[in-house]
Amino acid sequence: MQFKVENFRSIGEAQTLDLIASSAYKELIDRNTLDLHAEEKLPRILKTAAVYGPNAAGKTSLVMALAFLRWFVADSLTQTQAGTAIPVVPFRLSPSFREKDSSFEVVFFEEEWKEPAEKTEETLRSIRYQYGFRLNQKRVTEEWLLAYPHGRPQKWFHRVFDPGSQSYRYTFGSHFLGGRLREDWKAQTRDNALFLSTSVQLNSYQLRPVFDWFKSRLNVMNADGKNPSRTLSWLDQKKNLSQRVESFLRGMDLSVDEIQVDRKPFDPQSLPPDMPHPLRERIIQDLTGEEVVNLRFLHPSSIDPAPTVGDRVAFSLEEQSAGTQNLFFFAGPWLDLLDNSGILVVDEIDTSLHPLIVRRLVEQLQCPSCRGQLIFTTHDSSLLSSGLFRRDQIWFVEKTPQWETELYPLSDFPVQKKEALEKRYLNGRYGAIPFFGDL
């Protein structure tokens, strides 16, 4: 995957995160890189990328840019209406950037669409796609999609807003299917929505793999936005799947024997009687008709008598440690990554987690048979000296004199093969560290 973003939050000038493996490095090829097995001849891609930098340098902005990209493609069409402002935030510290559009582009691989009866191991093939858009809070101003089914670019569509006529110009390539339906897709595409998302909703089967990559393959976990939905989906399925969640937690040295899920309709009587009336009414309005999920984590009992379930003690999610909660939130996306070979992006992966747990997660993915990709931000400098990464897997962010985020790889530096990376990083050899004033 290659991701490029311009003019978003702390990012001003365009920054690119590139997971293409450098041909200059021969170490850890089988363990840390992937062969795409595509029809066109391509370099290998990296399985993991770690992003370092001081606080407020832009690591979270990079993750939020990927989260915004995914949301705008996969969910914004159904979650917004015509005339709704697009929640994109430009780089506000420069007057010129405040007036410019924000831009997002991603290059990725996905299988081409086929009827279920046509899908066999011999007929399926991966296609490289290049998709992007420009927008502001009022509208999408440009959108494009190129496909490379045989290594040569095919322009499928290009959409541009013309300020003079206050309308959109569309250009369709000869390989883009749909015939007369394309006019309906154009007419139904709102100013604040994407042609890609609209066309898929109106049954463009050719664009379905592109949309599905954003919806199903790309998963982003913000440091302040973790939720249990992905893990709950595993617990709600077959028993052997819920056992994998429990096994994942036990494998991280947590004493969780079993997780029980109790779903029941929301009951207003369950709210505390002393809750402020406006808050109570808002909660009732939001949750009426919804299900409330209660989780119980069963731990082995060591002291009797105790409030037990059988010979185990039940705890709620809120009673678990912050590290246990984070690992529970992480379990579903992680198992999805291992099973579906997607891309998982995690902000501050080391939050409330021991460094050896983070190292174990990275080691689990970096095996010859694993085909998922992990991008994460971290302050855990011990990973630099762990021998887990190639030089092209380590990235840094720092602020420029104009207070913009700058993203660059360790491979930009003349690094020796056995260089003490952690020591040199903390000594400022590669930048991306805090500079302190008088306290």
Side-chain angles (χ1 to χ4, degrees), residues 227-228 231-232 235 242 245-250 254-262 293-301 307-332:
N227 68 76
T231 304
L232 284 173
L235 295 175
S242 64
V245 175
E246 296 158 359
S247 177
F248 171 81
L249 297 180
R250 287 194 297 271
L254 304 180
S255 60
V256 178
D257 274 357
E258 184 181 350
I259 303 173
Q260 295 181 344
V261 183
D262 179 27
V293 179
N294 290 316
L295 292 170
R296 297 198 305 169
F297 292 74
L298 304 185
H299 293 255
S301 174
T308 64
V309 178
D311 60 347
R312 297 171 294 179
V313 182
F315 294 87
S316 67
L317 177 63
E318 293 73 20
E319 292 176 307
Q320 303 297 316
S321 69
T324 299
Q325 292 185 39
N326 283 341
L327 279 171
F328 176 75
F329 297 145
F330 191 78

Side-chain angles (χ1 to χ4, degrees), residues 48-329:
T48 53
V51 183
Y52 287 86
N55 297 107
K59 299 187 302 298
T60 296
S61 291
L62 179 66
V63 173
M64 293 183 72
L66 281 160
F68 175 83
L69 170 68
R70 183 198 178 279
W71 173 80
F72 198 60
V73 173
D75 300 315
S76 67
L77 184 64
T78 57
Q79 295 180 3
T80 61
Q81 298 177 347
T84 302
I86 300 172
V88 62
V89 181
F91 179 64
R92 296 167 58 190
L93 297 181
S94 166
S96 61
F97 278 104
R98 286 199 296 267
E99 303 302 320
K100 286 177 59 177
D101 293 341
S102 300
S103 176
F104 304 81
E105 184 180 71
V106 63
V107 179
F108 61 94
F109 282 79
E110 186 56 286
E111 293 176 351
E112 67 177 336
W113 186 91
K114 285 184 178 293
E115 292 282 0
E118 299 175 348
K119 290 186 177 181
T120 67
E121 189 172 341
E122 292 75 21
T123 62
L124 288 179
R125 60 173 177 167
S126 293
I127 295 179
R128 175 163 53 120
Y129 295 99
Q130 181 179 348
Y131 174 73
F133 53 82
R134 303 183 67 87
L135 77 171
N136 52 51
Q137 294 184 350
K138 292 183 179 180
R139 61 172 50 87
V140 176
T141 55
E142 188 176 5
E143 183 183 3
W144 59 92
L145 174 63
L146 287 82
Y148 298 76
H150 306 289
R152 296 180 298 275
Q154 297 177 357
K155 182 173 72 174
W156 282 11
F157 68 80
H158 187 199
R159 169 196 184 196
V160 181
F161 180 73
D162 180 10
S165 63
Q166 290 291 297
S167 62
Y168 287 96
R169 298 195 308 268
Y170 284 82
T171 304
F172 297 120
S174 59
H175 296 278
F176 182 53
L177 308 179
R180 296 179 181 177
L181 290 176
R182 297 182 302 193
E183 296 302 315
D184 294 335
W185 301 340
K186 287 167 49 178
Q188 294 295 320
T189 302
R190 306 189 312 245
D191 287 0
N192 64 348
L194 295 168
F195 178 76
L196 167 64
S197 310
T198 305
S199 302
V200 170
Q201 189 181 57
L202 298 176
N203 298 322
S204 170
Y205 67 84
Q206 189 184 27
L207 295 180
R208 170 62 66 177
V210 181
F211 179 86
D212 285 347
W213 184 86
F214 290 97
K215 186 73 174 179
S216 303
R217 301 280 194 187
L218 180 61
N219 189 17
V220 183
M221 296 182 66
N222 293 327
D224 60 350
K226 298 184 176 72
N227 68 76
S229 61
R230 287 291 183 99
T231 304
L232 284 173
S233 69
W234 279 77
L235 295 175
D236 286 339
Q237 297 180 57
K238 297 178 181 179
K239 182 61 178 175
N240 65 316
L241 297 182
S242 64
Q243 288 175 345
R244 288 185 63 189
V245 175
E246 296 158 359
S247 177
F248 171 81
L249 297 180
R250 287 194 297 271
M252 296 300 164
D253 198 28
L254 304 180
S255 60
V256 178
D257 274 357
E258 184 181 350
I259 303 173
Q260 295 181 344
V261 183
D262 179 27
R263 294 181 179 270
K264 58 184 179 181
F266 169 69
D267 181 6
Q269 299 302 319
S270 63
L271 298 176
D274 58 346
M275 179 178 286
H277 182 72
L279 177 59
R280 181 186 183 89
E281 291 301 311
R282 176 63 182 272
I283 292 176
I284 292 175
Q285 179 181 352
D286 291 344
L287 294 183
T288 297
E290 300 291 331
E291 281 189 329
V292 176
V293 179
N294 290 316
L295 292 170
R296 297 198 305 169
F297 292 74
L298 304 185
H299 293 255
S301 174
S302 60
I303 301 176
D304 290 319
T308 64
V309 178
D311 60 347
R312 297 171 294 179
V313 182
F315 294 87
S316 67
L317 177 63
E318 293 73 20
E319 292 176 307
Q320 303 297 316
S321 69
T324 299
Q325 292 185 39
N326 283 341
L327 279 171
F328 176 75
F329 297 145

